[in-house]
PDB file of all heavy atoms in Angstrom:
ATOM      1  N   ALA A 186       0.813  22.869   8.773  1.00  0.00           N
ATOM      2  CA  ALA A 186       1.284  24.195   8.204  1.00  0.00           C
ATOM      3  C   ALA A 186       0.572  25.397   8.799  1.00  0.00           C
ATOM      4  O   ALA A 186       1.167  26.441   9.069  1.00  0.00           O
ATOM      5  CB  ALA A 186       1.095  24.132   6.656  1.00  0.00           C
ATOM      6  N   ASP A 187      -0.742  25.211   9.006  1.00  0.00           N
ATOM      7  CA  ASP A 187      -1.556  26.338   9.630  1.00  0.00           C
ATOM      8  C   ASP A 187      -1.070  26.652  10.956  1.00  0.00           C
ATOM      9  O   ASP A 187      -0.958  27.787  11.355  1.00  0.00           O
ATOM     10  CB  ASP A 187      -3.014  25.955   9.612  1.00  0.00           C
ATOM     11  CG  ASP A 187      -3.694  25.923   8.222  1.00  0.00           C
ATOM     12  OD1 ASP A 187      -3.115  26.494   7.290  1.00  0.00           O
ATOM     13  OD2 ASP A 187      -4.713  25.311   8.084  1.00  0.00           O
ATOM     14  N   VAL A 188      -0.653  25.657  11.793  1.00  0.00           N
ATOM     15  CA  VAL A 188      -0.162  25.827  13.113  1.00  0.00           C
ATOM     16  C   VAL A 188       1.099  26.627  13.084  1.00  0.00           C
ATOM     17  O   VAL A 188       1.229  27.544  13.826  1.00  0.00           O
ATOM     18  CB  VAL A 188       0.038  24.469  13.829  1.00  0.00           C
ATOM     19  CG1 VAL A 188       0.880  24.610  15.170  1.00  0.00           C
ATOM     20  CG2 VAL A 188      -1.243  23.752  14.151  1.00  0.00           C
ATOM     21  N   HIS A 189       2.052  26.240  12.293  1.00  0.00           N
ATOM     22  CA  HIS A 189       3.339  26.989  12.089  1.00  0.00           C
ATOM     23  C   HIS A 189       3.173  28.375  11.496  1.00  0.00           C
ATOM     24  O   HIS A 189       3.785  29.260  11.876  1.00  0.00           O
ATOM     25  CB  HIS A 189       4.336  26.138  11.352  1.00  0.00           C
ATOM     26  CG  HIS A 189       4.760  24.921  12.103  1.00  0.00           C
ATOM     27  ND1 HIS A 189       5.614  25.044  13.228  1.00  0.00           N
ATOM     28  CD2 HIS A 189       4.376  23.632  12.026  1.00  0.00           C
ATOM     29  CE1 HIS A 189       5.807  23.766  13.631  1.00  0.00           C
ATOM     30  NE2 HIS A 189       4.992  22.911  12.978  1.00  0.00           N
ATOM     31  N   THR A 190       2.185  28.538  10.652  1.00  0.00           N
ATOM     32  CA  THR A 190       1.917  29.865  10.108  1.00  0.00           C
ATOM     33  C   THR A 190       1.412  30.724  11.162  1.00  0.00           C
ATOM     34  O   THR A 190       1.850  31.984  11.266  1.00  0.00           O
ATOM     35  CB  THR A 190       0.896  29.788   8.909  1.00  0.00           C
ATOM     36  OG1 THR A 190       1.522  29.045   7.852  1.00  0.00           O
ATOM     37  CG2 THR A 190       0.519  31.172   8.421  1.00  0.00           C
ATOM     38  N   LYS A 191       0.559  30.286  12.043  1.00  0.00           N
ATOM     39  CA  LYS A 191       0.051  31.056  13.189  1.00  0.00           C
ATOM     40  C   LYS A 191       1.156  31.430  14.113  1.00  0.00           C
ATOM     41  O   LYS A 191       1.228  32.537  14.624  1.00  0.00           O
ATOM     42  CB  LYS A 191      -1.052  30.282  13.900  1.00  0.00           C
ATOM     43  CG  LYS A 191      -2.349  30.257  13.134  1.00  0.00           C
ATOM     44  CD  LYS A 191      -3.467  29.412  13.893  1.00  0.00           C
ATOM     45  CE  LYS A 191      -4.686  29.353  12.952  1.00  0.00           C
ATOM     46  NZ  LYS A 191      -5.724  28.424  13.611  1.00  0.00           N
ATOM     47  N   ARG A 192       2.172  30.550  14.338  1.00  0.00           N
ATOM     48  CA  ARG A 192       3.253  30.886  15.185  1.00  0.00           C
ATOM     49  C   ARG A 192       4.109  31.984  14.581  1.00  0.00           C
ATOM     50  O   ARG A 192       4.481  32.905  15.348  1.00  0.00           O
ATOM     51  CB  ARG A 192       4.059  29.586  15.335  1.00  0.00           C
ATOM     52  CG  ARG A 192       3.504  28.580  16.242  1.00  0.00           C
ATOM     53  CD  ARG A 192       4.506  27.518  16.619  1.00  0.00           C
ATOM     54  NE  ARG A 192       3.879  26.374  17.253  1.00  0.00           N
ATOM     55  CZ  ARG A 192       4.370  25.125  17.342  1.00  0.00           C
ATOM     56  NH1 ARG A 192       5.501  24.851  16.815  1.00  0.00           N
ATOM     57  NH2 ARG A 192       3.708  24.283  17.937  1.00  0.00           N
ATOM     58  N   VAL A 193       4.286  31.935  13.268  1.00  0.00           N
ATOM     59  CA  VAL A 193       5.112  32.951  12.655  1.00  0.00           C
ATOM     60  C   VAL A 193       4.365  34.344  12.810  1.00  0.00           C
ATOM     61  O   VAL A 193       5.027  35.311  13.129  1.00  0.00           O
ATOM     62  CB  VAL A 193       5.325  32.692  11.140  1.00  0.00           C
ATOM     63  CG1 VAL A 193       6.021  33.861  10.470  1.00  0.00           C
ATOM     64  CG2 VAL A 193       6.243  31.465  10.960  1.00  0.00           C
ATOM     65  N   LYS A 194       3.045  34.362  12.650  1.00  0.00           N
ATOM     66  CA  LYS A 194       2.339  35.546  12.780  1.00  0.00           C
ATOM     67  C   LYS A 194       2.435  36.152  14.224  1.00  0.00           C
ATOM     68  O   LYS A 194       2.403  37.389  14.404  1.00  0.00           O
ATOM     69  CB  LYS A 194       0.835  35.388  12.476  1.00  0.00           C
ATOM     70  CG  LYS A 194       0.562  35.125  11.019  1.00  0.00           C
ATOM     71  CD  LYS A 194      -0.838  34.823  10.739  1.00  0.00           C
ATOM     72  CE  LYS A 194      -1.212  34.586   9.291  1.00  0.00           C
ATOM     73  NZ  LYS A 194      -2.545  34.277   9.029  1.00  0.00           N
ATOM     74  N   LEU A 195       2.600  35.344  15.179  1.00  0.00           N
ATOM     75  CA  LEU A 195       2.769  35.825  16.569  1.00  0.00           C
ATOM     76  C   LEU A 195       4.185  36.368  16.765  1.00  0.00           C
ATOM     77  O   LEU A 195       4.420  37.168  17.706  1.00  0.00           O
ATOM     78  CB  LEU A 195       2.599  34.619  17.586  1.00  0.00           C
ATOM     79  CG  LEU A 195       1.115  34.135  17.612  1.00  0.00           C
ATOM     80  CD1 LEU A 195       1.082  32.890  18.562  1.00  0.00           C
ATOM     81  CD2 LEU A 195       0.187  35.243  18.166  1.00  0.00           C
ATOM     82  N   LEU A 196       5.115  36.009  15.938  1.00  0.00           N
ATOM     83  CA  LEU A 196       6.560  36.552  16.017  1.00  0.00           C
ATOM     84  C   LEU A 196       6.833  37.730  15.252  1.00  0.00           C
ATOM     85  O   LEU A 196       7.918  38.270  15.346  1.00  0.00           O
ATOM     86  CB  LEU A 196       7.486  35.362  15.538  1.00  0.00           C
ATOM     87  CG  LEU A 196       7.358  34.035  16.211  1.00  0.00           C
ATOM     88  CD1 LEU A 196       8.167  32.960  15.472  1.00  0.00           C
ATOM     89  CD2 LEU A 196       7.914  34.128  17.634  1.00  0.00           C
ATOM     90  N   LEU A 197       5.926  38.197  14.479  1.00  0.00           N
ATOM     91  CA  LEU A 197       6.197  39.266  13.602  1.00  0.00           C
ATOM     92  C   LEU A 197       6.735  40.459  14.292  1.00  0.00           C
ATOM     93  O   LEU A 197       6.215  41.004  15.256  1.00  0.00           O
ATOM     94  CB  LEU A 197       4.848  39.661  12.843  1.00  0.00           C
ATOM     95  CG  LEU A 197       4.251  38.682  11.901  1.00  0.00           C
ATOM     96  CD1 LEU A 197       2.925  39.265  11.278  1.00  0.00           C
ATOM     97  CD2 LEU A 197       5.182  38.469  10.749  1.00  0.00           C
ATOM     98  N   PRO A 198       7.925  41.043  13.728  1.00  0.00           N
ATOM     99  CA  PRO A 198       8.459  42.220  14.284  1.00  0.00           C
ATOM    100  C   PRO A 198       7.538  43.470  13.985  1.00  0.00           C
ATOM    101  O   PRO A 198       6.792  43.366  13.026  1.00  0.00           O
ATOM    102  CB  PRO A 198       9.775  42.353  13.607  1.00  0.00           C
ATOM    103  CG  PRO A 198       9.798  41.361  12.568  1.00  0.00           C
ATOM    104  CD  PRO A 198       8.686  40.386  12.678  1.00  0.00           C
TER     105      PRO A 198
END
Side-chain angles (χ1 to χ4, degrees):
D187 289 340
V188 167
H189 290 285
T190 297
K191 286 177 185 174
R192 285 186 191 165
V193 173
K194 289 178 181 179
L195 293 173
L196 301 169
L197 293 174

